[in-house]
Amino acid sequence: MMQAKPLRSSSTGALAGTVRVPGDKSISHRSLMLGAVAVGETVIHGLLEGEDVLHTAASMRLLGAQAERGADGVWRVRGVGLGGLAEPAQVLDMGNSGTAARLLIGLVASHPITCVFTGDASLNKRPMARVTNPLEQMGARFVGRSGGRLPLTVVGSDQTVPITYRLPVASAQVKSAIILCGLNTAGTTTVIEAEPTRDHTELMLRHFGATVTTEVMEDGALAVSVVGQPELTGREIFVPADPSSAAFPVVAALLRPGSEVFLPGVGMNPRRTGLYDTLVEMGADIGFENRRDQAGEPVADLRVRHSSLKGIVVPADRAPSMIDEYPVLAAAAACAEGTTVMLGLKELRVKESDRLAMVADGLTKCGVKVEVGADDSLTVHGTGKPPQGGATVATAMDHRIAMSFLVLGMASADPIQVDDGAFIDTSFPDFVGLMNGLGANIKGI
Ligand code: S3P
């Protein structure tokens, strides 16, 4: 159990400077996992060294791959080849990370090994049946708690069969778990998604040499197919800065008068940029400079200047492209002029915490008027003036709830405290140092 780390964020002046946001979490997990089943060496530049990704690295080592950080900060993975993962002698601890757990369950499911997965108190509450149901259809077996929750034993098989599976929820984790199981399954495995979710697995698999196709179906859904048992070859990977982490300094700079902040090399995969589209619609001044391609992923340098934001309606079909960004958008909405309505937030209830409830409770405590709709919508009434703040907000082991309320504290009349900032290390190590370097006033209490 980590020691709770309460933090207080107080109102600040203008933010200024350049901030190098750590590497993308989704891409970092995938680079370690694919590197581990490729032949030869994978060299990873800019890997996120947050707790979540370190749990993946440790698990890949327990499964037989080598994964080490060099003194130069570059990670090198020596893979075992597809189908070559070894049975781990210990329980695989996924910590706080749903992505690590769900993707790795998929990857090991098509290996003839038995693995026991566990996580922290937050992860062990999260639903896993969404991955174990399709993987069972492919031939793996599972013994877990109710709802398939962790701790969970996976009995993998090297006789898995390909399936065609329509996702019941818009989830890149579920899509990826099936594709990763399909990787060591003879034949073609297809996942159909009604709403496009992040495609880092598909992009990176192609980079490693697999055949992955995406087809638009008659009803507009996407059919993503992987041809099983390819030869994967170790590659060089340049991990872009995480747009989900960049969201915090971006929103902070928008909210503080006089601010100008520069963020180089931020991932701009269109399946991840819903928050940026939304902020621009709200009136944000964000420059997307020097757009380029970095090892198959689009990136840009962001220049953000303080802006007066206006409330808008955020449509439900945008949710998959900004699923992790609603807490910080809610902080921005609390400072905007007018009402912001965010639709289609059901999935927020099964993240690291019930984010819909945590955001609504925290904002209410800070004096912001909010409503949660029966349709899982969130309405935030901004007044264009700083919210009152002056509250201690519960974070429920959720890094993004903690960071979002620390950003709100920078723009509130009175300081905001979060009960525990320890989980920030899962995705954004040195968040406090980087934010204070721009001019924030965040301190331990
Ligand atoms: C992720 C997918 C999303 C996101 C998570 C990372 C991924 O989860 O919330 O932080 O890397 O595939 P879902 O697929 O469950 O929506």
Side-chain angles (χ1 to χ4, degrees):
M1 195 77 181
M2 273 191 261
Q3 174 108 38
K5 201 165 127 191
L7 296 171
R8 176 187 294 129
S9 174
S10 309
S11 173
T12 51
L15 302 185
T18 294
V19 57
R20 289 187 188 278
V21 170
D24 188 276
K25 184 150 69 73
S26 294
I27 295 174
S28 295
H29 284 300
R30 287 160 171 83
S31 63
L32 289 169
M33 291 184 198
L34 292 188
V37 293
V39 173
E41 190 176 71
T42 289
V43 177
I44 311 169
H45 304 266
L47 185 87
L48 168 64
E49 292 173 345
E51 296 289 337
D52 278 11
V53 175
L54 297 179
H55 280 286
T56 293
S59 299
M60 300 329 293
R61 286 193 285 266
L62 284 171
L63 287 159
Q66 288 172 29
E68 304 300 337
R69 178 190 203 270
D72 52 359
V74 176
W75 281 70
R76 289 183 170 77
V77 181
R78 187 151 283 279
V80 293
L82 197 54
L85 294 177
E87 187 165 274
Q90 289 169 37
V91 170
L92 300 176
D93 181 3
M94 303 290 109
N96 193 251
S97 177
T99 309
R102 296 201 178 105
L103 269 57
L104 206 45
I105 288 170
L107 188 65
V108 301
S110 53
H111 286 71
I113 58 175
T114 294
C115 306
V116 184
F117 284 81
T118 194
D120 68 12
S122 155
L123 181 58
N124 286 5
K125 279 190 212 146
R126 299 179 64 186
M128 292 293 151
R130 52 179 59 196
V131 291
T132 57
N133 287 342
L135 296 173
E136 246 163 17
Q137 291 179 23
M138 296 180 79
R141 288 186 296 126
F142 299 92
V143 183
R145 292 161 63 228
S146 54
R149 288 171 306 158
L150 307 187
L152 169 82
T153 298
V154 182
V155 182
S157 163
D158 55 2
Q159 301 295 316
T160 40
V161 291
I163 56 170
T164 295
Y165 189 78
R166 187 174 265 268
L167 292 181
V169 279
S171 166
Q173 293 181 359
V174 179
K175 172 176 65 175
S176 300
I178 299 167
I179 291 175
L180 291 176
C181 181
L183 206 52
N184 195 35
T185 299
T188 300
T189 297
T190 302
V191 180
I192 299 170
E193 53 180 5
E195 298 170 88
T197 64
R198 67 190 69 192
D199 58 356
H200 305 300
T201 304
E202 297 91 302
L203 293 177
M204 199 181 289
L205 271 172
R206 287 190 197 115
H207 187 53
F208 275 83
T211 301
V212 181
T213 55
T214 302
E215 229 178 277
V216 184
M217 302 180 68
E218 256 172 38
D219 63 356
L222 297 177
V224 181
S225 298
V226 62
V227 179
Q229 301 183 329
E231 174 96 340
L232 300 179
T233 313
R235 292 283 183 220
E236 190 164 24
I237 293 171
F238 296 86
V239 182
D242 196 324
S244 299
S245 298
F248 301 103
V250 165
V251 168
L254 290 173
L255 297 182
R256 300 317 296 145
S259 297
E260 179 169 336
V261 169
F262 184 67
L263 303 97
V266 180
M268 286 284 116
N269 182 315
R271 306 237 187 137
R272 294 286 299 282
T273 49
L275 173 76
Y276 295 91
D277 300 337
T278 302
L279 290 171
V280 168
E281 271 180 41
M282 292 172 82
D285 178 353
I286 307 176
F288 300 91
E289 300 173 1
N290 190 17
R291 283 187 183 272
R292 57 203 183 271
D293 196 83
Q294 194 173 285
E297 289 278 353
V299 299
D301 304 330
L302 307 190
R303 190 175 299 281
V304 187
R305 296 186 181 91
H306 163 69
S307 312
S308 300
L309 301 179
K310 299 249 176 310
I312 61 162
V313 176
V314 187
D317 64 6
R318 202 176 287 168
S321 67
M322 55 178 296
I323 194 66
D324 292 335
E325 281 67 77
Y326 285 102
V328 75
L329 175 63
C335 304
E337 197 184 325
T339 299
T340 298
V341 183
M342 301 166 225
L343 299 167
L345 306 189
K346 188 159 180 250
E347 275 295 298
L348 288 198
R349 294 204 178 274
V350 291
K351 293 296 175 188
E352 285 83 330
S353 69
D354 177 345
R355 285 188 177 154
L356 193 45
M358 300 309 291
V359 167
D361 290 355
L363 287 180
T364 304
K365 273 189 156 179
C366 293
V368 181
K369 209 172 144 233
V370 303
E371 287 124 34
V372 175
D375 57 349
D376 294 310
S377 62
L378 177 66
T379 301
V380 177
H381 300 277
T383 60
K385 297 198 191 78
Q388 191 57 48
T392 298
V393 171
T395 52
M397 305 176 78
D398 190 326
H399 53 135
R400 297 198 205 280
I401 297 293
M403 289 186 278
S404 299
F405 280 97
L406 292 170
V407 167
L408 187 63
M410 295 168 64
S412 298
D414 297 326
I416 292 179
Q417 280 146 214
V418 297
D419 66 352
D420 190 3
F423 286 85
I424 292 172
D425 287 348
T426 60
S427 69
F428 199 154
D430 203 28
F431 167 78
V432 172
L434 286 179
M435 294 300 284
N436 286 347
L438 293 175
N441 180 4
I442 303 174
K443 292 198 173 95
I445 41 178

